[in-house]
Amino acid sequence: RYTITNTLIENTERNDGIFAQDEADITVRSSIIRGNGRDGLKADGNRGSFFREVSNSTIENNGGSGIFNDNAKSPMTFQNNKILNNSAHGIFANVTEATTDTVLTIAGNRIENNQLVGIASSRAIILNDTLIGNYYPIATTGEISKAGTINENGNFYEDNFIQSNLIDSVTALFGKVNGKIGFSNPYGTANSVIVTDFNRLPKPFFVGAQRAVHTESGDSLHVNAGTVVKNSGPNSGIFVGGTLLSEGELDSKIVFTSFNDDTYAGNTNQDTTNIIPETRDWSGITLRNAGSDSSKIKNTIIRYADRALSIYNSDALVDSSAFSNSHYGIFFSNGSNSTVRFSEIHSNQFDGVYIDNNSDNNPVFQLNNFYGNGNSALINHSTNTIKAENNYWDDATGPLVDKGSDQNLGGLGEYINVANGPVDYRPFLTGRNGILLGDVTENGTISAFDASTILQHIVGITTISGNALAAADVTANGSVSAMDASFILQFVVGNITGFPGQGKKVPVDMTKAFELEMLSDSKFTEFELTNTGLTNISSTEIEFVIKNNPIKEVELLPSVFSENLSMTYRIDKDTVFIAIAGSKAMNEEGVFTKLRFDYGDMEDNRPLTDGMIYNKFILNETDLTEHLNQTQVSIDDGLSDIPLEFSLNQNYPNPFNPSTNISYGLPNKGHVKIQIYNIIGQLVQTLIDAPQQAGSYQMQWDASAFGSGTYLLRIDFEGSNNQSYSQIRKMLLIK
């Protein structure tokens, strides 16, 4: 056991600064380790060595990692160090078989500008660290969680500063792994983004891994619902000899895809080029041998791989998942007896399902949808009879089968290639099972009525839920918008041949993509939304509130682009709801939409913009509500003088049923939040959460959806120079 303190170790040209080989227990304090040819500090855990403590030291400009300690058997602490400009990782620390529950503490370190990962660790407590300028800030490997400890869900993160790394907001994953992924997140968001990057993290920088990520028999890899795993390079993939539990939820799926795929979790690789993902961007997920029999793939999406899912000699269950845009959707070999059910197998370059010539392969397929595969939906090279009854083969006439004893030459659906053994495909489904994207009405076809249903849902005329809601989300971004309706219209008229869900989206500043002009007359106001030509515009959703709303009707006026637009609107007292979708995208400068707000038989000489507050303004799928409320002054014309002090007036009438008026004054501009709570302090509704200009405001709260009782009205204001204001009023609803 050694303690090294107040020591300078530098400029060893071909060696590590400190190398611990056999049974060494080392503490390093208040030292400088820099400019060495390999790692700054290296301990061989396989030979019993480890760094018990590294503290208050500077470790910089080394040719390998700053600290590299693999397979340590004892706890380690790294605290208050500067770990800078090393050619590999800042810290690589992997603890195995440690006898204590707290195995690795990394706290108070400044970890900057290392060429690979800032902190690459097995389960750790990571506190108060600063990670800036590294390639990836955080990576996990080895035993990444342990039940009954602070690391039950993986690394424990608290009060870290993570910013301006080359690839931010993701956690890298590599090497031999065991435990939970996606259950803890250094960035504090609900869903994690994991990256396996074989190209950036080659074998010399992790231990014992023949593949980018792998588990051994007896180990498990449990993926949290909502996690997105992106894979970089044809050798990146996940190879499972143990148990893989990838069980998402209907509205929180797990996704395995290419690092070039921006559809899920956005542009995580932060490139600025329009590179779209392709088949074989990564190798895929492989389940191998009996150790993986208990694996389950459910509500999981796997795409852009060589073989999206390979099953070798395994009885794993596949349920309610999707396999697409790969060379092969699912590949079976070496005695696989898996069941695949309720899944989508589509758009693969070669075959949806490939069953090789091993005579022990007996997978079963039930209630799946096969469509859009390049060669065949299913090819059977084995001599066994494959059970594939009650599946949909992309046409009511069933699959095309032109070989074997049970041919179906009139089948217009996907091809079944009976290469060696037969396939029992009868009876087959004459309509899709489950969700057809775009088929909101669930009648088996995609029509303009589906788009209309979405627009009615957005403005509150009707409500869609369940599978219909999932079918409406054709952009696969987790929400339903007028943009989804626009894509359905574009699909129906043939302007596009499929829905989004693949490819890159170059970032666009949508605040500069449009101009808005409103011209008022005593009988109507004209609303003109212009595309500045910066990007294509397909849809918009608008919701605004105006005191003493004069609008009786909303009319879509003729314009160059109006024949391509569909509009739905609803007026509810002082609130106007509008949803507009185009049957094609407007890709040039000009008027996207022109509306007339008609006042009917009454007149109103005030400019409509005075007193208007936007609750929603969404262009395509970008929420611009806050931007519009900042740039458009919304001051009630009747109270346009700037108040001298803040105020939240008592609502009137009070008591009320079911609506009441709320007014307040702002002497300065700032961020305003107005919320309604019940008498026990539970939040009922947020009326305003946006920046506003100085002025006097009035709105109406419709409480028809709530029960009788006392409610609390609260305003919170935050302005410049730490200026703030809060006030609470009681309101009584009597029905």
Side-chain angles (χ1 to χ4, degrees), residues 455-520:
L455 295 180
Q456 293 179 52
H457 167 78
I458 290 168
V459 301
I461 295 175
T462 188
T463 300
I464 55 178
S465 59
N467 285 350
L469 194 64
D473 182 18
V474 299
T475 57
N477 70 343
S479 65
V480 174
S481 67
M483 188 71 170
D484 294 296
S486 174
F487 277 121
I488 290 175
L489 293 176
Q490 293 178 58
F491 179 84
V492 169
V493 300
N495 284 331
I496 58 174
T497 58
F499 294 122
Q502 55 188 326
K504 289 234 171 245
K505 299 176 182 177
V506 178
V508 172
D509 183 356
M510 292 298 289
T511 64
K512 299 178 181 178
F514 74 100
E515 293 177 352
L516 179 61
E517 185 175 5
M518 297 180 69
L519 301 174
S520 291

Side-chain angles (χ1 to χ4, degrees), residues 139-141 144 171-175 177 181 194-197 212-213 221 238:
T140 54
T141 185
I144 51 184
T171 302
L173 178 72
F174 55 87
V177 296
I181 64 171
I194 312 293
V195 172
T196 73
D197 191 343
V213 175
L221 188 62
I238 298 177

Side-chain angles (χ1 to χ4, degrees), residues 45 61 73 143 168 219 299 346 478 519 645 659 701 710:
N61 298 313
K73 304 300 189 291
E143 184 184 51
D168 260 328
D219 291 340
N299 285 320
H346 69 94
L519 301 174
E645 59 185 21
S659 61
W701 182 45
T710 300

Side-chain angles (χ1 to χ4, degrees), residues 308-620:
L309 178 63
S310 298
I311 302 179
Y312 292 83
N313 190 28
S314 174
D315 297 341
L317 175 65
V318 178
D319 187 357
S320 305
S321 295
F323 309 90
S324 68
N325 301 98
S326 301
H327 275 190
Y328 302 94
I330 309 179
F331 188 96
F332 293 94
S333 184
N334 290 62
S336 296
N337 300 301
S338 293
T339 295
V340 180
R341 64 192 186 194
F342 298 106
S343 293
E344 305 274 329
I345 304 167
H346 69 94
S347 307
N348 296 289
Q349 184 175 355
F350 298 143
D351 304 301
V353 171
Y354 187 103
I355 303 168
D356 81 357
N357 57 10
N358 188 290
S359 61
D360 293 330
N361 285 320
N362 281 293
V364 176
F365 304 89
Q366 302 170 334
L367 301 168
N368 301 289
N369 297 316
F370 291 87
Y371 56 96
N373 297 290
N375 291 340
S376 60
L378 186 151
I379 181 169
N380 183 17
H381 278 292
S382 76
T383 56
N384 292 338
T385 299
I386 300 301
K387 299 291 185 181
E389 301 167 350
N390 292 311
N391 296 281
Y392 179 63
W393 305 93
D394 203 23
D395 195 86
T397 60
L400 170 62
V401 184
D402 58 4
K403 299 178 184 178
S405 58
D406 185 15
Q407 297 185 15
N408 188 29
L409 299 180
L412 300 178
E414 290 272 283
Y415 181 50
I416 294 180
N417 188 343
V418 183
N420 291 319
V423 177
D424 284 347
Y425 62 89
R426 299 180 192 271
F428 51 79
L429 302 178
T430 58
R432 289 178 57 91
N433 168 67
I435 298 168
L436 171 63
L437 281 182
D439 180 19
V440 183
T441 56
E442 300 182 273
N443 65 354
T445 61
I446 302 171
S447 68
F449 186 69
D450 294 300
S452 175
T453 303
I454 291 176
L455 295 180
Q456 293 179 52
H457 167 78
I458 290 168
V459 301
I461 295 175
T462 188
T463 300
I464 55 178
S465 59
N467 285 350
L469 194 64
D473 182 18
V474 299
T475 57
N477 70 343
S479 65
V480 174
S481 67
M483 188 71 170
D484 294 296
S486 174
F487 277 121
I488 290 175
L489 293 176
Q490 293 178 58
F491 179 84
V492 169
V493 300
N495 284 331
I496 58 174
T497 58
F499 294 122
Q502 55 188 326
K504 289 234 171 245
K505 299 176 182 177
V506 178
V508 172
D509 183 356
M510 292 298 289
T511 64
K512 299 178 181 178
F514 74 100
E515 293 177 352
L516 179 61
E517 185 175 5
M518 297 180 69
L519 301 174
S520 291
D521 194 297
S522 62
K523 301 289 291 183
F524 61 83
T525 292
E526 288 192 356
F527 172 104
E528 189 171 278
L529 178 66
T530 299
N531 183 358
T532 62
L534 190 63
T535 187
N536 296 348
I537 295 180
S538 301
S539 65
T540 185
E541 299 169 38
I542 305 167
E543 177 186 330
F544 62 84
V545 178
I546 178 72
K547 176 192 172 185
N548 299 325
N549 179 24
I551 301 171
K552 304 302 179 185
E553 184 180 0
V554 180
E555 180 184 357
L556 180 64
L557 297 179
S559 65
V560 174
F561 198 68
S562 60
E563 63 182 18
N564 300 294
L565 298 178
S566 294
M567 181 195 70
T568 300
Y569 75 92
R570 178 170 67 95
I571 300 173
D572 184 3
K573 299 178 181 175
D574 285 353
T575 306
V576 181
F577 306 81
I578 304 169
I580 301 170
S583 59
K584 70 176 184 179
M586 184 180 186
N587 55 10
E588 57 188 19
E589 185 176 351
V591 176
F592 172 71
T593 188
K594 191 172 185 178
L595 303 176
R596 174 172 290 175
F597 302 140
D598 198 318
Y599 302 162
D601 294 332
M602 63 181 294
E603 291 190 356
D604 195 325
N605 291 303
R606 59 177 169 159
L608 197 67
T609 52
D610 287 359
M612 177 185 287
I613 298 173
Y614 286 93
N615 292 338
K616 181 194 294 185
F617 189 91
I618 297 176
L619 199 61
N620 289 353

Side-chain angles (χ1 to χ4, degrees), residues 633-635 640-643 665-670 692-697:
V633 179
S634 299
I635 303 175
S640 58
D641 292 337
I642 303 299
L666 307 176
N668 297 300
K669 66 179 181 179
Q692 291 188 332
Q693 300 290 331
S696 298
Y697 293 82

Side-chain angles (χ1 to χ4, degrees), residues 135-139 167-172 185-187 192-195 230 259 268-270:
Y135 194 89
Y136 294 109
I138 300 285
I167 307 294
D168 260 328
S169 302
V170 304
T171 302
N185 190 347
Y187 311 101
S192 297
V193 181
I194 312 293
V195 172
K230 296 192 174 184
F259 206 8
T268 46
N269 63 345
Q270 299 178 18

